[in-house]
Amino acid sequence: MTEIVFLVEDDPDGGYTAVALTESIFTQADDIETLEEMVRDAVHCHFPNEQRRSKIIWILL
């Protein structure tokens, strides 16, 4: 896999949520800048093996 796409939505409780479209990855944060960091961290946790990890992460706002 060379890329992974996340869909970002407003969270009803405040902040934002991000859901990967092709993997079971979900994260949330209070602001977009923090959400970007959380997405990268979630991808690293989901794919601990760097060789299997996506090289490109798309965040669709």
Side-chain angles (χ1 to χ4, degrees):
M1 175 184 316
T2 59
E3 65 183 30
I4 189 165
V5 178
F6 282 83
L7 178 62
V8 175
E9 296 180 330
D10 291 328
D11 189 324
D13 296 326
Y16 302 91
T17 60
V19 179
L21 299 180
T22 58
E23 300 293 331
S24 296
I25 307 173
F26 171 87
T27 191
Q28 61 188 45
D30 291 332
D31 56 68
I32 294 295
E33 292 79 18
T34 305
L35 187 66
E36 290 174 351
E37 294 173 24
M38 298 299 291
V39 164
R40 282 191 294 275
D41 185 55
V43 170
H44 283 206
C45 289
H46 192 77
F47 297 102
N49 182 339
E50 187 175 343
Q51 293 175 332
R52 293 185 37 134
R53 190 179 306 145
S54 301
K55 304 297 182 224
I56 300 170
I57 301 171
W58 293 97
I59 301 176
L60 305 176
L61 301 174

